[in-house]
Amino acid sequence: MPLAPRNLLDQAQSPYLRQHAGNPVHWRPWGPEALAEARETGRPILLSVGYAACHWCHVMAHESFEDPAVADVMNRLFVNIKVDREERPDVDQIYMAALHALGQQGGWPLTMFLTPDGGPVWGGTYFPKEARYGRPGFIQVMQEVARVFREEPDRVEANRTALTAAIEARARSGVALHRGLLDEAGARLLGLMDPVTGGTRGAPKFPQAALLDLLWRAGHRTGDSKPIDQVLLTLRQLCQGGIYDHLGGGFARYAVDDRWLVPHFEKMLYDNAQLVDLLTVAWCRTGDPLFRIRIEETVGWLEREMLTPEGAFASSLDADSEGEEGRFYVWTEAEIDAVLGPEAPLFKAVYDVTPAGNWEGKVILNRLGALERRGAEEEARLAAAHELLLRRRADRIRPGLDDKVLADWNGLAIAALARAAAVLDRPDWLDLAKRCYAFVTGTMTRQDRLGHSWRGGQLIFPGLSSDHAALTSASLALFAATTEPAYLTDAVGFAEALHAHHWDDRTGGYFLTADDAEALITRPKSPLDEATPNPNGLMAECLVRLWILTGEDRYRERADRLLTAFSGDILANVYGTASLLNALDTRLEPIEAVLIAPEATDPRALLRVIAGAADRRVVALPLRSTAGLPADHPAQGREALEGRATVYVCRANACSLPTTDPDRLQALLSAVPVVAPDRAASPG
């Protein structure tokens, strides 16, 4: 029986879906009921996918979905389904892959036309209500698509068959993976970077954390400072650009220009988590106070504006407020003068405040004109000005907060907070990470498995491979920060749940969806990074670390099978598979800091040095003795010096001389080794 002829989003928990609950469109949430209605009525499906902080999603909603005339066409011709891509990334990934197979770039809102059984036929992204920007008008598009469904069923079936085959393509394997591939990828990526403003050349500019990590690792692996310098340049431009909120902290999603000045103003949890992590390793290498300050400010923003009452983190802040993109964040010179009075001239000189503005007549605060910090006295005056402007800004109407809790994004935040807390000696940040972790692993877990999204007491279960990979990473980061065995036990549990319910027995790799999740037209499995690291890449890194920490070869074997499963994909697209390459880097040349801390010794000074290692391949292995290490481990049988906490730095099947001295340990962890065979065969 068809569902009620009205909008059915009023019962949804997703803030994005609830934004559309008042539309005259007869929206249905994704689910078996909506698909059954399409099959029973024979009407094609109009699938609209977006997210709460998406600017162009809001534009299309205002232009079309709120218009009764447009809604009348939609309701007459289609079963209309609305999806929050953050809540259902599995649905989004399938139909975005179909759009890519049509030769389109992709983006959101995603607008796809499907057969009544969910097969993709044709689509696009944003369609204006009236024809413009070289795009046909939305009503025109819908009428033509409906005509094709009625009059050309063979054409519909041909498209459905071709697109379904394209999105069901399996991973490509069989290529040997080796260090030379990593070095070549790093060199080629360096050639694509902007030597003046950082990031990849051109506009728009995205932070692309996995790519920056790939460059960072290349510099540490080879001893060549150029890739590292490029990452540091990018981070400094990000930290001083308009993409950063200089008053409230936190980074926007991306910049639309080629110098990080003009952001798309939405702030996403995942971007800020990954950037805090990168800024932490950058600070470890340089000690640059800019990086420390931006970490502190961004964590402050997370705690002040993104923390839910339950202790987890919300997903995003909208780009728009009062119907305008960026309105909450931009200023005029007159407003700055009115708030700051005699302190305005210094602030305006530093933050690019002019009568004409730097964006559509308004001012986006930035320090791109002079990246270096001022003297202590001037910086103190600027900090006081920040507080005055932040208090004034608080009187404005705030952008919308998407307060659903996503397990995978929270996992990224927990890991970043735990590492930053250990490096910068911030126990309050560690407490923040632990509290978030307790919520996700408690409220969002059933038995040994995670759900994906929680809001208002409702949990979407079962979770995705991204959730289990991110929480494995978070558990390992908390173990590294605390040495509490319970976190390592949790990491093992999440890894086992992931393997039991997501592993592809036929070709290898982890499916995004679980084996007992809702059946879709295909089970998505991708090697490609998006704005977040691909779960296969993130999990490969975790499996290598679990192998080192537990001594169990099954984790190394899983990591090798995982990397081998996608080896052909890696070779075909090294930039899209950066997180897999980063895991390969750790797998081929891990640096094990074997810390022997007998009872009654205090290893904290040595642990701080290990936590502060700028090389991403370093793994701390805390032990009471080496007796439990595998027989072939190079530290097997080594002992603590004179009963004191002692570290052996092991790599390439050999260990350093023991040290109890933090300064000596720091030097050992910074050394570039001569390449030698690993104690286990390479993947591929």
Side-chain angles (χ1 to χ4, degrees), residues 273-296:
Q274 292 176 94
L275 286 169
V276 164
D277 204 35
L278 277 172
L279 289 168
T280 299
V281 295
W283 186 87
C284 290
R285 184 176 176 96
T286 65
D288 187 335
L290 174 64
F291 298 146
R292 176 184 53 77
I293 290 166
R294 293 295 181 260
I295 295 167
E296 292 170 345

Side-chain angles (χ1 to χ4, degrees), residues 5-24:
R6 65 176 183 86
N7 189 318
L8 300 180
L9 300 184
D10 55 337
Q11 298 302 308
Q13 281 299 313
S14 159
Y16 174 66
L17 297 188
R18 294 182 72 87
Q19 286 175 358
H20 294 270
N23 295 167

Side-chain angles (χ1 to χ4, degrees), residues 171-232:
R172 293 172 286 181
S173 62
V175 179
L177 299 175
H178 50 85
R179 174 175 167 149
L181 176 62
L182 291 171
D183 293 343
E184 180 185 354
R188 287 168 56 190
L189 177 58
L190 186 61
L192 297 177
M193 303 299 284
D194 188 326
V196 177
T197 61
T200 52
R201 298 174 190 266
K205 281 190 183 293
F206 290 82
Q208 295 178 289
L211 287 182
L212 294 177
D213 196 10
L214 184 64
L215 280 177
W216 187 262
R217 288 167 173 268
H220 284 90
R221 186 176 58 253
T222 64
D224 182 357
S225 64
K226 291 192 291 295
I228 291 172
D229 290 342
Q230 183 64 44
V231 175
L232 294 174

Side-chain angles (χ1 to χ4, degrees), residues 344-356:
L346 172 63
F347 186 88
K348 291 192 295 185
V350 173
Y351 284 95
D352 190 24
V353 180
T354 62

Side-chain angles (χ1 to χ4, degrees), residues 331-345 347-348 353 388-389 392:
W331 298 83
T332 64
E333 183 188 42
E335 288 173 326
I336 299 290
D337 286 336
V339 174
L340 298 185
E343 289 297 304
F347 186 88
K348 291 192 295 185
V353 180
L388 292 172
L389 291 169
R392 177 61 60 88

Side-chain angles (χ1 to χ4, degrees), residues 451-473:
H452 172 62
S453 176
W454 182 94
R455 186 175 187 270
Q458 295 187 19
L459 177 68
I460 293 179
F461 185 91
L464 306 168
S465 58
S466 57
D467 301 308
H468 290 84
L471 263 294
T472 306
S473 177

Side-chain angles (χ1 to χ4, degrees), residues 128 165 345 357 382 438 646:
L382 292 169
T646 303

